[in-house]
């Protein structure tokens, strides 16, 4: 089936001497994997390696066989020309971490326009703004809403957050209950949008401790989840 759709690149891995395997989240069909033959050697082809950097937003013409095998892309064009996303060191670190996370946690091969719009809009926000040190924290908190385990904030006034159940509780009920500064940060993030991120003042230790709690939350709710390798790079950039 021939498909024309928007797509957000999650990863591009070298395969053999000249090929790339690209994972992308498409607006029409969810997550897809594509084999781009000879792209690393071709100088005159319609597809360029630079198009397939993490979180690039493209319009593609592709062939989808939908048989669980690698698909193919006939044509692609960049629909969002970023100003700083891949050139500023701090933003690049966030981009690699976020794309690493997305590649791990998003597996659905079906249309999800709400999730696609979220990824598109937030990536644009990251490109256009400068106060971005806590972007990935809010991004991951809000992403849980699209993955089905957004924290239940109906009793957000309680001191403990139960990572296993995703609820706030007045006392510790199991080994996965957390309290203290990281829970306070979670409460703040649940109540703000991206334009309010500049009001959240965190040091490196607070940011790291909260992210570790958040990744444990992901691990408890997503089978087979593992911390991305890019986490160490991200922590070093914002240390």
């Amino acid at each position: 089936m021939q498909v024309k759709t928007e797509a957000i690149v999650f990863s591009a891995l070298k395969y053999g001497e000249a090929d790339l395997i690209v994972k992308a989240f498409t607006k029409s069909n969810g997550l897809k994997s594509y084999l781009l033959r000879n792209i690393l050697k071709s100088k005159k082809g319609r597809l360029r390696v630079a198009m397939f950097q993490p979180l690039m937003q493209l319009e593609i013409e592709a062939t989808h066989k939908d048989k669980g095998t690698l698909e193919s892309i006939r044509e692609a064009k960049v629909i969002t020309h970023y100003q700083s996303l891949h050139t500023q060191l701090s933003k690049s670190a966030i981009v690699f971490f976020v794309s690493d996370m997305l590649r791990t946690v998003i597996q659905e091969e079906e249309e999800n326009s709400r999730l696609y719009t979220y990824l598109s809009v937030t990536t644009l926000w990251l490109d256009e703004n400068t106060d971005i040190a806590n972007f990935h924290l809010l991004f991951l908190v809000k992403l849980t809403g699209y993955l089905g385990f957004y924290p239940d904030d109906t009793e957000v006034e309680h001191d403990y957050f139960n990572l296993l159940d995703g609820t706030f509780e007045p006392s510790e009920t199991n080994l996965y209950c957390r309290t203290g500064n990281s829970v306070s940060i979670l409460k703040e993030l649940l109540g703000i949008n991206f334009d309010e991120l500049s009001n959240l003042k965190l040091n490196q230790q607070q940011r790291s401790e909260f992210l570790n709690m958040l990744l444990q939350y992901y691990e408890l709710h997503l089978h087979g989840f593992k911390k991305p390798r890019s986490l160490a790079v991200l922590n070093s950039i914002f240390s």
Side-chain angles (χ1 to χ4, degrees):
M1 180 175 63
Q2 301 301 311
V3 176
K4 187 174 183 179
T5 182
E6 294 177 20
I8 299 174
V9 176
F10 285 175
S11 65
L13 300 176
K14 184 180 179 182
Y15 180 73
E17 289 296 317
D19 303 341
L20 280 182
I21 294 178
V22 171
K23 282 193 174 184
F25 190 71
T26 67
K27 193 170 186 179
S28 61
N29 297 89
L31 186 67
K32 286 291 182 182
S33 295
Y34 299 95
L35 177 61
L36 308 185
R37 294 193 179 277
N38 294 316
I39 188 173
L40 298 178
K41 290 186 177 179
S42 175
K43 296 181 180 180
K44 297 182 179 180
R46 296 175 179 177
L47 304 179
R48 294 283 186 267
V49 174
M51 293 177 171
F52 300 97
Q53 297 179 78
L55 302 188
M56 288 293 287
Q57 298 190 41
L58 309 173
E59 182 179 82
I60 63 173
E61 292 184 22
T63 302
H64 289 175
K65 295 181 179 179
D66 296 323
K67 294 182 179 180
T69 57
L70 294 172
E71 314 287 16
S72 60
I73 296 177
R74 295 174 56 245
E75 293 188 20
K77 67 177 182 180
V78 177
I79 57 175
T80 301
H81 293 275
Y82 297 127
Q83 302 302 310
S84 60
L85 206 66
H86 296 110
T87 55
Q88 289 187 10
L89 183 60
S90 57
K91 289 187 179 183
S92 292
I94 290 177
V95 165
F96 279 106
F97 174 73
V98 166
S99 59
D100 234 359
M101 285 289 296
L102 293 174
R103 185 179 57 189
T104 300
V105 304
I106 296 178
Q107 301 295 332
E108 57 186 293
E109 295 188 22
E110 58 187 31
E111 179 185 1
N112 188 333
S113 57
R114 287 182 62 252
L115 176 55
Y116 187 91
T117 298
Y118 174 71
L119 300 180
S120 175
V121 169
T122 52
T123 303
L124 283 172
W125 188 95
L126 179 60
D127 181 55
E128 294 168 356
N129 287 270
T130 56
D131 197 345
I132 50 88
N134 298 316
F135 169 86
H136 55 296
L137 306 182
L138 183 58
F139 177 87
L140 292 182
V141 169
K142 290 188 176 296
L143 182 62
T144 62
Y146 299 90
L147 301 176
F149 54 98
Y150 189 78
D152 181 353
D153 58 359
T154 54
E155 297 184 312
V156 72
E157 72 278 2
H158 293 319
D159 292 334
Y160 288 86
F161 181 64
N162 186 332
L163 296 172
L164 192 61
D165 296 335
T167 56
F168 290 92
E169 300 176 351
S171 59
E172 187 173 3
T173 57
N174 60 35
L175 295 175
Y176 298 105
C177 285
R178 300 290 180 268
T179 190
N181 197 50
S182 290
V183 174
S184 298
I185 294 171
L186 175 60
K187 292 180 180 182
E188 285 192 70
L189 289 170
L190 290 175
I192 65 173
N193 57 41
F194 285 92
D195 288 333
E196 297 171 300
L197 265 179
S198 58
N199 298 325
L200 183 64
K201 306 299 182 183
L202 303 178
N203 59 39
Q204 190 275 337
Q205 181 177 350
Q206 292 170 328
R207 191 178 295 116
S208 179
E209 289 176 353
F210 175 77
L211 182 56
N212 283 333
M213 183 185 82
L214 189 56
L215 291 177
Q216 186 180 16
Y217 185 53
Y218 269 74
E219 189 173 5
L220 288 169
H221 290 269
L222 294 175
H223 178 72
F225 174 80
K226 294 181 180 179
K227 291 182 180 180
R229 297 176 182 177
S230 53
L231 178 61
V233 177
L234 184 73
N235 286 335
S236 68
I237 292 296
F238 292 102
S239 62

